[in-house]
């Protein structure tokens, strides 16, 4: 079985994948890894079209989140993330095809996994081989407060952000993107979990839903 976990950034995908992997002994991979591999074979001159989020990061000339989120609107960033997700979907599908063919169980998580793509994979490989869930967050102010609770080593958001208002901007982007995920998931009747409150319980519910 291939377990797909999708959501905007910072909604708990990696936490869910790690806990589920430990509980079930099923290996997991982040789509960020597949994104990096995919970009390695594409000339940087083509990044603006195929990998717009990476291009904007590179174009901004800084890794600083304060400057990045001041320069670009949340809608611009969300649009770039959606476009980059499309570019990586082929690499994700190749991995799914290989693991299904080899009858391996695998957990794949990333913002690149959107409901439409997940449904295509379910249609192509069957519900006996692919399951998908999605995580969301809508409270941008709570998001900004909770960032400081992170225990992730070298957390990119904390390390590269100095201004508190930037955390709220990132939270707004996550909330906007979450509305897209929620709408699309409902369209395909795929389960979603709101991670704003009772985070640990929702993680457990999500694992139960995937493994049931």
């Amino acid at each position: 079985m291939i377990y797909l976990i999708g959501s905007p950034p910072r909604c708990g995908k990696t936490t869910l994948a790690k806990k589920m992997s430990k509980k079930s002994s099923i290996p997991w991979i982040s789509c960020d890894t597949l994104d990096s591999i995919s970009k390695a074979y594409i000339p940087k001159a083509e990044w603006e079209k195929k990998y717009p989020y990476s291009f904007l990061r590179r174009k901004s000339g800084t890794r600083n989140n304060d400057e990045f989120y001041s320069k670009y609107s949340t809608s611009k960033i969300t649009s770039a993330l959606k476009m980059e997700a499309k570019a990586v979907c082929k690499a994700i599908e190749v991995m799914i095809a290989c693991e299904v063919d080899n009858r391996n169980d695998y957990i794949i998580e990333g913002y690149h996994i959107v409901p439409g793509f997940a449904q295509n994979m379910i249609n192509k490989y069957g519900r006996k081989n692919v399951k998908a869930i999605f995580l969301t967050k809508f409270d941008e102010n709570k998001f900004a407060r909770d960032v400081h609770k992170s225990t992730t080593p070298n957390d990119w958001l904390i390390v590269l952000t100095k201004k508190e208002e930037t955390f709220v901007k990132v939270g707004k982007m996550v909330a906007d993107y979450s509305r897209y995920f929620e709408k699309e998931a409902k369209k395909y009747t795929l389960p979603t979990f709101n991670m704003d409150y009772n985070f640990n319980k929702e993680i457990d519910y999500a694992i139960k839903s995937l493994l049931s």
Side-chain angles (χ1 to χ4, degrees):
M1 176 69 75
I2 304 300
Y3 301 94
L4 302 177
I5 303 169
S7 85
R10 306 291 301 196
C11 286
K13 298 181 299 298
T14 301
T15 299
L16 171 55
K18 285 182 177 180
K19 188 168 184 178
M20 181 174 166
S21 179
K22 185 175 181 180
K23 178 183 178 66
S24 62
S25 298
I26 297 172
W28 73 279
I29 189 171
S30 168
C31 291
D32 289 341
T33 300
L34 299 177
D35 192 329
S36 296
I37 294 171
S38 180
K39 283 202 296 286
Y41 293 93
I42 301 296
K44 289 185 178 180
E46 297 181 25
W47 280 18
E48 183 175 7
K49 180 179 179 181
K50 295 185 176 181
Y51 302 94
Y53 179 73
S54 298
F55 175 79
L56 288 181
R57 278 290 191 179
R58 183 185 177 204
K59 184 180 178 181
S60 68
T62 178
R63 297 183 66 211
N64 184 290
N65 288 318
D66 300 315
E67 294 181 30
F68 185 73
Y69 275 83
S70 293
K71 187 171 185 178
Y72 300 107
S73 67
T74 55
S75 60
K76 176 74 171 179
I77 294 170
T78 300
S79 177
L81 286 168
K82 288 178 182 177
M83 289 299 296
E84 186 142 337
K86 289 181 180 179
V88 181
C89 279
K90 186 60 181 178
I92 301 171
E93 182 174 356
V94 169
M95 180 170 184
I96 291 171
C98 290
E99 299 306 327
V100 168
D101 187 55
N102 290 318
R103 299 182 181 179
N104 291 330
D105 294 330
Y106 228 102
I107 302 165
I108 307 175
E109 60 91 359
Y111 76 82
H112 315 74
I113 298 171
V114 297
F117 171 75
Q119 187 61 52
N120 286 339
M121 295 300 97
I122 291 170
N123 292 342
K124 187 169 185 176
Y125 298 103
R127 293 185 179 276
K128 66 179 181 180
N129 290 312
V130 180
K131 294 185 74 172
I133 66 165
F134 299 90
L135 311 181
T136 57
K137 283 187 177 181
F138 301 101
D139 191 331
E140 56 203 61
N141 292 311
K142 186 176 187 301
F143 175 95
R145 294 193 301 271
D146 288 349
V147 163
H148 299 289
K149 299 178 183 178
S150 173
T151 58
T152 303
N154 299 315
D155 187 310
W156 68 270
L157 184 53
I158 294 176
V159 172
L160 303 177
T161 306
K162 303 301 179 186
K163 299 178 180 179
E164 285 297 318
E165 58 262 34
T166 301
F167 294 126
V168 178
K169 290 179 181 179
V170 178
K172 184 178 186 303
M173 181 276 291
V174 169
D176 288 346
Y177 207 179
S178 287
R179 283 185 274 274
Y180 164 78
F181 271 90
E182 183 178 60
K183 180 181 178 181
E184 289 294 296
K186 284 182 179 179
K187 178 180 176 180
Y188 298 107
T189 63
L190 295 170
T192 62
F193 294 83
N194 185 337
M195 309 305 289
D196 281 319
Y197 304 96
N198 300 315
F199 182 87
N200 291 326
K201 285 186 177 180
E202 292 299 321
I203 289 289
D204 289 338
Y205 294 151
I207 292 173
K208 185 176 180 180
S209 173
L210 284 168
L211 294 177
S212 63

